Coordinates of all heavy atoms in Angstrom, one line a residue:
M264 N 12.0 -20.1 11.4 CA 11.8 -19.1 10.3 C 12.5 -17.8 10.8 O 12.3 -17.3 11.9 CB 10.4 -18.8 10.0 CG 10.1 -17.9 8.9 SD 8.4 -17.8 8.5 CE 8.2 -16.2 8.0
I265 N 13.3 -17.2 9.9 CA 13.9 -15.9 10.2 C 12.9 -14.8 10.1 O 12.3 -14.7 9.0 CB 15.1 -15.7 9.3 CG1 16.2 -16.8 9.5 CG2 15.7 -14.3 9.5 CD1 17.3 -16.7 8.6
Q266 N 12.8 -14.0 11.1 CA 11.9 -12.8 11.0 C 12.6 -11.6 10.5 O 13.7 -11.3 11.0 CB 11.3 -12.5 12.4 CG 10.4 -13.5 13.0 CD 9.1 -13.6 12.2 OE1 8.5 -12.6 11.8 NE2 8.7 -14.8 11.9
P267 N 12.1 -11.0 9.4 CA 12.8 -9.8 8.9 C 12.7 -8.7 9.9 O 11.8 -8.5 10.7 CB 11.9 -9.5 7.7 CG 10.6 -10.1 7.9 CD 10.8 -11.3 8.8
N268 N 13.8 -7.9 9.8 CA 13.9 -6.7 10.7 C 13.0 -5.6 10.1 O 13.4 -4.9 9.2 CB 15.3 -6.2 10.8 CG 15.5 -5.0 11.7 OD1 14.5 -4.7 12.4 ND2 16.6 -4.4 11.6
K269 N 11.9 -5.4 10.7 CA 11.0 -4.3 10.2 C 11.4 -3.0 11.0 O 10.7 -2.6 11.9 CB 9.5 -4.7 10.5 CG 9.1 -5.9 9.7 CD 7.6 -6.1 9.7 CE 7.2 -7.2 8.8 NZ 5.8 -7.3 8.6
S270 N 12.4 -2.3 10.5 CA 12.9 -1.2 11.1 C 12.2 0.1 10.7 O 12.5 1.2 11.3 CB 14.4 -1.0 10.8 OG 14.6 -0.9 9.4
L271 N 11.3 0.1 9.8 CA 10.6 1.2 9.3 C 9.1 1.1 9.8 O 8.6 0.0 9.8 CB 10.6 1.4 7.8 CG 11.9 1.4 7.1 CD1 11.8 1.4 5.6 CD2 12.8 2.6 7.6
T272 N 8.5 2.3 10.1 CA 7.1 2.3 10.5 C 6.4 3.3 9.6 O 7.0 4.3 9.3 CB 6.9 2.6 12.0 OG1 7.4 3.9 12.3 CG2 7.5 1.5 12.9
F273 N 5.2 3.0 9.3 CA 4.3 3.9 8.6 C 2.9 3.6 9.0 O 2.6 2.7 9.7 CB 4.5 3.7 7.1 CG 3.9 2.4 6.5 CD1 2.7 2.4 5.8 CD2 4.6 1.2 6.7 CE1 2.2 1.2 5.3 CE2 4.1 0.0 6.2 CZ 2.9 0.0 5.5
T274 N 2.0 4.6 8.6 CA 0.6 4.3 8.9 C -0.2 4.2 7.6 O 0.1 4.8 6.6 CB 0.0 5.5 9.7 OG1 0.0 6.7 9.0 CG2 0.7 5.7 11.1
F275 N -1.2 3.4 7.7 CA -2.2 3.2 6.6 C -3.6 3.4 7.2 O -4.0 2.6 8.1 CB -2.0 1.8 6.0 CG -3.0 1.5 4.9 CD1 -3.0 2.3 3.7 CD2 -4.0 0.5 5.0 CE1 -3.9 2.1 2.7 CE2 -4.9 0.2 4.0 CZ -4.8 1.0 2.8
N276 N -4.2 4.4 6.8 CA -5.6 4.8 7.3 C -5.6 4.9 8.9 O -6.5 4.4 9.5 CB -6.6 3.8 6.8 CG -6.8 3.9 5.3 OD1 -6.6 4.9 4.7 ND2 -7.3 2.8 4.7
G277 N -4.5 5.4 9.4 CA -4.3 5.6 10.8 C -3.8 4.5 11.6 O -3.5 4.7 12.8
E278 N -3.6 3.3 11.0 CA -3.1 2.1 11.7 C -1.6 2.0 11.4 O -1.2 2.2 10.3 CB -3.8 0.9 11.2 CG -3.5 -0.4 12.0 CD -4.4 -1.5 11.5 OE1 -5.2 -1.4 10.6 OE2 -4.2 -2.6 12.1
S279 N -0.8 1.7 12.4 CA 0.7 1.6 12.3 C 1.1 0.2 11.8 O 0.5 -0.8 12.2 CB 1.4 1.8 13.6 OG 1.2 3.2 14.0
F280 N 2.1 0.2 10.9 CA 2.6 -1.0 10.3 C 4.2 -0.9 10.3 O 4.7 0.2 10.3 CB 2.1 -1.2 8.9 CG 0.7 -1.5 8.8 CD1 -0.2 -0.4 8.6 CD2 0.2 -2.8 9.0 CE1 -1.6 -0.7 8.6 CE2 -1.2 -3.0 8.9 CZ -2.1 -2.0 8.7
G281 N 4.8 -2.1 10.2 CA 6.3 -2.1 10.1 C 6.6 -2.5 8.6 O 5.8 -3.1 7.9
A282 N 7.8 -2.1 8.2 CA 8.3 -2.5 6.9 C 9.8 -2.7 6.9 O 10.5 -2.2 7.7 CB 7.9 -1.4 5.9
I283 N 10.2 -3.6 6.0 CA 11.6 -3.8 5.8 C 12.2 -2.8 4.9 O 11.5 -2.4 3.9 CB 11.8 -5.2 5.1 CG1 11.1 -6.3 6.0 CG2 13.3 -5.5 4.9 CD1 10.9 -7.6 5.2
P284 N 13.4 -2.2 5.1 CA 14.0 -1.3 4.2 C 13.9 -1.8 2.7 O 14.3 -3.0 2.5 CB 15.4 -1.1 4.7 CG 15.2 -1.3 6.2 CD 14.2 -2.4 6.3
G285 N 13.4 -1.0 1.8 CA 13.4 -1.5 0.4 C 12.0 -2.1 0.1 O 11.7 -2.3 -1.1
Q286 N 11.2 -2.3 1.0 CA 9.9 -3.0 0.8 C 8.9 -1.9 0.3 O 8.9 -0.8 0.8 CB 9.4 -3.6 2.1 CG 8.2 -4.5 1.9 CD 7.9 -5.3 3.2 OE1 8.1 -4.8 4.3 NE2 7.4 -6.5 3.0
T287 N 8.1 -2.3 -0.7 CA 7.1 -1.3 -1.2 C 5.9 -1.2 -0.2 O 5.7 -2.1 0.6 CB 6.5 -1.7 -2.5 OG1 5.8 -2.9 -2.4 CG2 7.7 -1.8 -3.6
I288 N 5.1 -0.2 -0.3 CA 4.0 0.0 0.5 C 3.0 -1.2 0.4 O 2.5 -1.8 1.3 CB 3.2 1.3 0.2 CG1 4.1 2.5 0.4 CG2 1.9 1.4 0.9 CD1 3.6 3.8 -0.2
A289 N 2.7 -1.5 -0.9 CA 1.8 -2.6 -1.2 C 2.3 -4.0 -0.6 O 1.5 -4.7 0.0 CB 1.6 -2.8 -2.7
A290 N 3.6 -4.2 -0.7 CA 4.1 -5.5 -0.2 C 4.0 -5.5 1.4 O 3.7 -6.5 1.9 CB 5.6 -5.6 -0.6
A291 N 4.3 -4.4 2.0 CA 4.3 -4.3 3.5 C 2.8 -4.5 3.9 O 2.6 -5.2 4.9 CB 4.8 -3.0 4.0
L292 N 1.9 -4.0 3.2 CA 0.5 -4.1 3.6 C -0.1 -5.5 3.3 O -0.8 -6.1 4.1 CB -0.4 -3.0 2.9 CG -0.2 -1.6 3.4 CD1 -0.9 -0.6 2.5 CD2 -0.6 -1.5 4.9
L293 N 0.4 -6.1 2.2 CA -0.1 -7.5 2.0 C 0.5 -8.4 3.0 O -0.2 -9.4 3.4 CB 0.4 -7.9 0.5 CG -0.5 -7.3 -0.6 CD1 0.0 -7.8 -1.9 CD2 -2.0 -7.8 -0.4
Q294 N 1.8 -8.2 3.4 CA 2.4 -9.0 4.4 C 1.6 -8.9 5.7 O 1.5 -9.9 6.5 CB 3.8 -8.6 4.6 CG 4.6 -9.6 5.5 CD 6.1 -9.3 5.5 OE1 6.5 -8.1 5.4 NE2 6.9 -10.3 5.6
A295 N 1.0 -7.8 6.0 CA 0.2 -7.6 7.2 C -1.3 -8.0 6.9 O -2.1 -7.7 7.8 CB 0.3 -6.1 7.6
E296 N -1.5 -8.6 5.8 CA -2.8 -9.1 5.4 C -3.9 -8.0 5.3 O -5.1 -8.2 5.6 CB -3.3 -10.2 6.5 CG -2.3 -11.4 6.5 CD -2.8 -12.4 7.5 OE1 -3.8 -12.3 8.2 OE2 -2.1 -13.5 7.5
R297 N -3.4 -6.9 4.8 CA -4.3 -5.8 4.4 C -4.4 -5.8 2.9 O -3.5 -5.3 2.2 CB -3.8 -4.4 4.9 CG -3.7 -4.3 6.4 CD -5.1 -4.5 7.0 NE -5.1 -4.2 8.5 CZ -4.7 -5.0 9.4 NH1 -4.2 -6.2 9.1 NH2 -4.7 -4.7 10.7
T298 N -5.5 -6.4 2.4 CA -5.5 -6.6 0.9 C -6.3 -5.5 0.2 O -6.2 -5.4 -1.0 CB -6.2 -8.0 0.6 OG1 -7.4 -8.1 1.3 CG2 -5.3 -9.1 1.1
T299 N -7.1 -4.8 0.9 CA -7.8 -3.7 0.2 C -7.1 -2.4 0.4 O -6.9 -1.8 1.5 CB -9.3 -3.5 0.8 OG1 -10.0 -4.7 0.7 CG2 -10.0 -2.4 0.1
L300 N -6.6 -1.9 -0.8 CA -5.8 -0.7 -0.8 C -6.6 0.5 -1.1 O -6.3 1.7 -0.7 CB -4.6 -0.8 -1.8 CG -3.7 -1.9 -1.5 CD1 -2.6 -2.0 -2.6 CD2 -3.0 -1.8 -0.2
R301 N -7.7 0.3 -1.8 CA -8.6 1.4 -2.1 C -10.0 0.8 -2.5 O -10.1 -0.5 -2.6 CB -8.1 2.3 -3.3 CG -8.1 1.5 -4.6 CD -7.7 2.4 -5.7 NE -7.7 1.8 -7.0 CZ -8.7 1.8 -7.9 NH1 -9.8 2.4 -7.6 NH2 -8.6 1.2 -9.0
T302 N -11.0 1.6 -2.8 CA -12.2 1.1 -3.3 C -12.6 1.9 -4.6 O -12.1 3.0 -4.7 CB -13.4 1.2 -2.3 OG1 -13.5 2.6 -1.9 CG2 -13.2 0.3 -1.1
T303 N -13.4 1.3 -5.4 CA -13.7 2.0 -6.7 C -14.7 3.2 -6.4 O -15.4 3.2 -5.4 CB -14.4 1.0 -7.7 OG1 -15.5 0.5 -7.1 CG2 -13.4 -0.1 -8.0
R304 N -14.6 4.1 -7.3 CA -15.5 5.3 -7.2 C -17.0 4.9 -7.3 O -17.8 5.4 -6.5 CB -15.1 6.3 -8.3 CG -15.9 7.6 -8.2 CD -15.4 8.6 -9.2 NE -14.6 8.1 -10.3 CZ -14.3 8.8 -11.4 NH1 -14.8 10.0 -11.6 NH2 -13.5 8.2 -12.3
F305 N -17.3 4.0 -8.2 CA -18.6 3.5 -8.4 C -18.7 2.2 -7.7 O -17.8 1.3 -7.9 CB -19.0 3.5 -9.8 CG -18.9 4.8 -10.6 CD1 -17.8 5.0 -11.4 CD2 -19.7 5.8 -10.3 CE1 -17.7 6.2 -12.1 CE2 -19.6 7.0 -10.9 CZ -18.6 7.2 -11.8
N306 N -19.7 1.9 -7.0 CA -20.0 0.6 -6.3 C -19.1 0.3 -5.1 O -19.2 -0.8 -4.5 CB -20.0 -0.5 -7.3 CG -21.0 -0.4 -8.4 OD1 -22.1 0.1 -8.2 ND2 -20.6 -0.7 -9.6
D307 N -18.1 1.1 -4.9 CA -17.3 1.0 -3.7 C -16.7 -0.4 -3.6 O -16.6 -1.0 -2.5 CB -18.1 1.3 -2.4 CG -17.3 1.7 -1.2 OD1 -16.2 2.3 -1.4 OD2 -17.7 1.4 -0.1
E308 N -16.2 -1.0 -4.7 CA -15.6 -2.3 -4.7 C -14.1 -2.3 -4.3 O -13.4 -1.4 -4.7 CB -15.7 -2.9 -6.1 CG -17.2 -3.1 -6.5 CD -17.4 -3.7 -7.9 OE1 -16.4 -4.0 -8.5 OE2 -18.5 -3.9 -8.3
P309 N -13.7 -3.3 -3.6 CA -12.3 -3.3 -3.1 C -11.3 -3.5 -4.2 O -11.5 -4.3 -5.1 CB -12.2 -4.4 -2.1 CG -13.4 -5.3 -2.5 CD -14.4 -4.4 -3.1
R310 N -10.1 -2.9 -4.1 CA -9.0 -3.1 -5.1 C -7.7 -3.3 -4.3 O -7.5 -2.7 -3.2 CB -8.8 -1.9 -6.0 CG -10.0 -1.8 -7.0 CD -10.0 -2.9 -8.0 NE -11.0 -2.9 -9.0 CZ -12.2 -3.4 -8.9 NH1 -12.5 -4.1 -7.8 NH2 -13.1 -3.3 -9.8
S311 N -6.8 -4.1 -4.9 CA -5.6 -4.4 -4.3 C -4.5 -4.5 -5.4 O -4.7 -3.9 -6.4 CB -5.7 -5.8 -3.5 OG -4.5 -6.0 -2.8
I312 N -3.4 -5.1 -5.1 CA -2.4 -5.3 -6.1 C -2.9 -6.2 -7.2 O -3.5 -7.3 -6.9 CB -1.1 -6.0 -5.5 CG1 -0.4 -5.0 -4.7 CG2 -0.2 -6.4 -6.7 CD1 0.9 -5.5 -4.1
F313 N -2.8 -5.8 -8.5 CA -3.2 -6.7 -9.6 C -1.9 -7.0 -10.4 O -1.6 -8.2 -10.5 CB -4.2 -6.0 -10.5 CG -4.7 -6.8 -11.6 CD1 -5.5 -7.9 -11.4 CD2 -4.4 -6.5 -12.9 CE1 -5.9 -8.7 -12.4 CE2 -4.9 -7.2 -13.9 CZ -5.6 -8.4 -13.7
C314 N -1.3 -6.0 -10.9 CA -0.1 -6.3 -11.8 C 1.2 -6.3 -10.9 O 2.1 -7.1 -11.2 CB 0.1 -5.3 -12.9 SG 0.5 -3.6 -12.4
G315 N 1.3 -5.5 -10.0 CA 2.5 -5.4 -9.1 C 3.7 -4.8 -9.8 O 4.8 -4.7 -9.2
I316 N 3.5 -4.2 -10.9 CA 4.6 -3.6 -11.7 C 4.3 -2.2 -12.2 O 5.0 -1.7 -13.1 CB 5.1 -4.5 -12.8 CG1 4.0 -4.8 -13.8 CG2 5.7 -5.8 -12.3 CD1 4.4 -5.5 -15.0
G317 N 3.3 -1.5 -11.7 CA 3.0 -0.2 -12.0 C 2.3 0.1 -13.3 O 2.2 1.2 -13.8
I318 N 1.5 -0.9 -13.8 CA 0.8 -0.8 -15.0 C -0.7 -0.5 -14.8 O -1.3 0.3 -15.5 CB 1.0 -2.1 -15.9 CG1 2.4 -2.4 -16.2 CG2 0.2 -2.0 -17.2 CD1 3.2 -1.4 -17.0
C319 N -1.3 -1.2 -13.9 CA -2.8 -1.2 -13.8 C -3.4 -0.1 -13.0 O -4.5 0.2 -13.1 CB -3.3 -2.6 -13.2 SG -3.0 -2.8 -11.5
W320 N -2.7 0.5 -12.1 CA -3.1 1.5 -11.2 C -4.2 1.1 -10.2 O -4.9 1.9 -9.6 CB -3.6 2.8 -12.0 CG -2.6 3.5 -12.7 CD1 -2.0 3.1 -13.9 CD2 -1.8 4.6 -12.4 NE1 -1.0 3.9 -14.3 CE2 -0.9 4.9 -13.4 CE3 -1.9 5.5 -11.3 CZ2 -0.1 6.0 -13.3 CZ3 -1.1 6.6 -11.2 CH2 -0.2 6.8 -12.2
D321 N -4.4 -0.2 -10.0 CA -5.3 -0.7 -9.0 C -4.9 -0.4 -7.6 O -5.7 -0.4 -6.7 CB -5.6 -2.2 -9.2 CG -6.8 -2.5 -10.0 OD1 -7.4 -1.5 -10.5 OD2 -7.1 -3.7 -10.2
C322 N -3.6 -0.2 -7.4 CA -3.1 -0.1 -6.0 C -2.9 1.4 -5.6 O -2.2 1.6 -4.6 CB -1.8 -0.8 -6.0 SG -0.5 0.0 -7.0
V323 N -3.5 2.3 -6.2 CA -3.2 3.7 -5.9 C -3.7 4.1 -4.5 O -4.7 3.6 -4.0 CB -3.8 4.7 -6.9 CG1 -3.2 4.6 -8.3 CG2 -5.3 4.6 -7.0
V324 N -2.9 4.9 -3.8 CA -3.1 5.4 -2.5 C -2.7 6.8 -2.4 O -2.1 7.3 -3.4 CB -2.4 4.5 -1.4 CG1 -2.9 3.1 -1.3 CG2 -0.9 4.5 -1.7
T325 N -3.0 7.4 -1.3 CA -2.4 8.8 -1.1 C -1.2 8.6 -0.1 O -1.3 8.0 0.9 CB -3.5 9.7 -0.4 OG1 -4.6 9.8 -1.4 CG2 -3.0 11.0 -0.1
V326 N -0.1 9.2 -0.5 CA 1.1 9.1 0.3 C 1.6 10.5 0.7 O 1.8 11.3 -0.2 CB 2.2 8.4 -0.5 CG1 3.5 8.3 0.3 CG2 1.8 7.0 -1.0
N327 N 1.6 10.7 2.0 CA 2.0 12.0 2.5 C 1.3 13.1 1.9 O 1.8 14.2 1.5 CB 3.5 12.2 2.4 CG 4.3 11.2 3.3 OD1 3.8 10.8 4.3 ND2 5.5 10.9 2.9
G328 N 0.0 12.9 1.6 CA -0.9 14.0 1.1 C -0.9 14.1 -0.4 O -1.7 14.8 -1.0
V329 N -0.1 13.2 -1.1 CA -0.1 13.2 -2.6 C -0.9 12.1 -3.1 O -0.6 10.9 -2.8 CB 1.4 13.1 -3.1 CG1 1.4 13.2 -4.6 CG2 2.2 14.3 -2.5
S330 N -2.0 12.4 -3.8 CA -2.9 11.3 -4.2 C -2.4 10.6 -5.5 O -1.4 11.0 -6.1 CB -4.3 11.9 -4.5 OG -4.2 12.9 -5.5
N331 N -3.0 9.5 -5.8 CA -2.8 8.7 -7.0 C -1.3 8.2 -7.1 O -0.7 8.2 -8.2 CB -3.2 9.5 -8.2 CG -4.6 9.8 -8.3 OD1 -5.5 8.9 -7.9 ND2 -5.0 11.0 -8.7
Q332 N -0.8 7.7 -6.0 CA 0.5 7.1 -6.0 C 0.4 5.6 -6.0 O -0.4 5.0 -5.3 CB 1.3 7.5 -4.7 CG 1.4 9.0 -4.5 CD 2.2 9.6 -5.7 OE1 3.3 9.3 -5.9 NE2 1.5 10.5 -6.4
R333 N 1.2 4.9 -6.9 CA 1.1 3.5 -7.0 C 1.9 2.8 -5.9 O 3.1 2.9 -5.9 CB 1.6 3.1 -8.4 CG 0.6 3.5 -9.5 CD 1.2 3.3 -10.8 NE 2.2 4.4 -11.0 CZ 2.9 4.5 -12.1 NH1 2.8 3.7 -13.1 NH2 3.8 5.5 -12.2
S334 N 1.2 2.2 -5.0 CA 1.8 1.6 -3.8 C 2.7 0.4 -4.1 O 3.6 0.1 -3.3 CB 0.7 1.2 -2.8 OG -0.1 0.2 -3.3
C335 N 2.6 -0.2 -5.3 CA 3.4 -1.3 -5.7 C 4.8 -0.8 -6.1 O 5.7 -1.6 -6.3 CB 2.8 -2.2 -6.8 SG 2.7 -1.4 -8.4
L336 N 5.0 0.5 -6.3 CA 6.2 1.0 -6.8 C 7.0 1.8 -5.8 O 8.2 2.1 -5.9 CB 6.0 1.9 -8.0 CG 5.4 1.3 -9.3 CD1 5.3 2.3 -10.4 CD2 6.3 0.1 -9.7
I337 N 6.3 2.3 -4.7 CA 6.9 3.2 -3.8 C 7.4 2.5 -2.5 O 6.6 1.8 -1.9 CB 5.9 4.3 -3.4 CG1 5.5 5.1 -4.6 CG2 6.5 5.3 -2.3 CD1 4.4 6.1 -4.4
E338 N 8.7 2.7 -2.2 CA 9.2 2.1 -1.1 C 8.8 2.8 0.2 O 8.7 4.1 0.2 CB 10.8 2.1 -1.1 CG 11.3 1.1 -2.2 CD 12.8 1.1 -2.3 OE1 13.5 1.8 -1.4 OE2 13.3 0.5 -3.2
V339 N 8.6 2.1 1.2 CA 8.2 2.7 2.5 C 9.4 3.5 3.0 O 10.5 3.1 3.0 CB 7.8 1.6 3.6 CG1 7.6 2.2 4.9 CG2 6.6 0.8 3.1
S340 N 9.0 4.7 3.5 CA 10.0 5.5 4.3 C 9.5 5.7 5.7 O 8.3 5.7 5.9 CB 10.4 6.8 3.6 OG 9.2 7.6 3.5
D341 N 10.4 5.8 6.6 CA 10.0 5.9 8.0 C 9.1 7.1 8.3 O 9.4 8.2 7.9 CB 11.2 6.0 8.9 CG 11.0 5.5 10.3 OD1 10.1 4.6 10.5 OD2 11.6 6.0 11.3
G342 N 7.9 6.8 8.9 CA 7.0 7.9 9.3 C 6.0 8.2 8.2 O 5.2 9.2 8.3
M343 N 6.1 7.5 7.1 CA 5.2 7.8 5.9 C 3.7 7.6 6.3 O 3.4 6.8 7.1 CB 5.5 6.8 4.8 CG 4.8 6.9 3.5 SD 5.5 5.6 2.4 CE 6.7 6.6 1.5
V344 N 2.9 8.5 5.8 CA 1.4 8.5 6.1 C 0.7 8.1 4.8 O 0.8 8.8 3.8 CB 0.9 9.8 6.6 CG1 -0.6 9.8 6.8 CG2 1.6 10.2 7.9
V345 N 0.1 6.9 4.8 CA -0.6 6.4 3.6 C -2.1 6.3 3.9 O -2.5 5.9 5.0 CB 0.0 5.0 3.3 CG1 -0.7 4.4 2.0 CG2 1.5 5.0 3.1
K346 N -2.9 6.7 2.9 CA -4.3 6.6 3.1 C -4.9 6.0 1.8 O -4.4 6.1 0.7 CB -4.9 8.0 3.3 CG -4.5 8.6 4.6 CD -5.1 10.0 4.8 CE -4.6 10.6 6.1 NZ -5.0 11.9 6.3
S347 N -6.1 5.3 2.0 CA -6.8 4.8 0.8 C -7.3 5.9 -0.1 O -7.5 7.0 0.3 CB -8.0 4.0 1.3 OG -7.6 2.8 2.0
Ligands
FES242 S1 -0.6 -3.2 -8.8 FE1 -0.8 -2.5 -10.8 S2 0.0 -0.5 -10.7 FE2 0.3 -1.2 -8.7

């Protein structure tokens, strides 16, 4: 199996991950088996990618200090800081 060149690095809740250029935050995290991107305000239930095309907002995260960013739409950039 060919291993993709993960030339980009970013952090998610303080943990480092690699990403392929052009890969979205959500795709990179799912590939690393991190399926919980956030939790709900009430009941603290886990949420992950649902639609994958920017419609449902289940995948929102904070990116470089900017909240409510849809991780399924934003490509990873080197050094990006992502939080739930
Ligand atoms: S998974 Fe639906 S908006 Fe990102």
Side-chain angles (χ1 to χ4, degrees):
M264 181 173 149
I265 297 172
Q266 292 294 318
N268 179 15
K269 294 189 174 189
S270 60
L271 305 175
T272 59
F273 69 105
T274 62
F275 178 62
N276 294 336
E278 187 177 0
S279 292
F280 294 92
I283 303 163
Q286 193 171 31
T287 64
I288 297 166
L292 289 173
L293 283 178
Q294 190 173 31
E296 300 182 355
R297 296 300 187 277
T298 56
T299 300
L300 301 175
R301 69 175 182 94
T302 56
T303 59
R304 184 173 14 165
F305 304 106
N306 301 323
D307 205 30
E308 295 178 3
R310 291 292 181 267
S311 186
I312 289 182
F313 183 68
C314 72
I316 57 173
I318 304 295
C319 72
W320 294 78
D321 265 0
C322 66
V323 293
V324 292
T325 298
V326 179
N327 293 333
V329 181
S330 61
N331 297 320
Q332 303 298 301
R333 290 168 287 180
S334 63
C335 69
L336 298 181
I337 299 174
E338 293 180 6
V339 173
S340 61
D341 204 32
M343 185 178 262
V344 177
V345 182
K346 296 179 180 175
S347 291

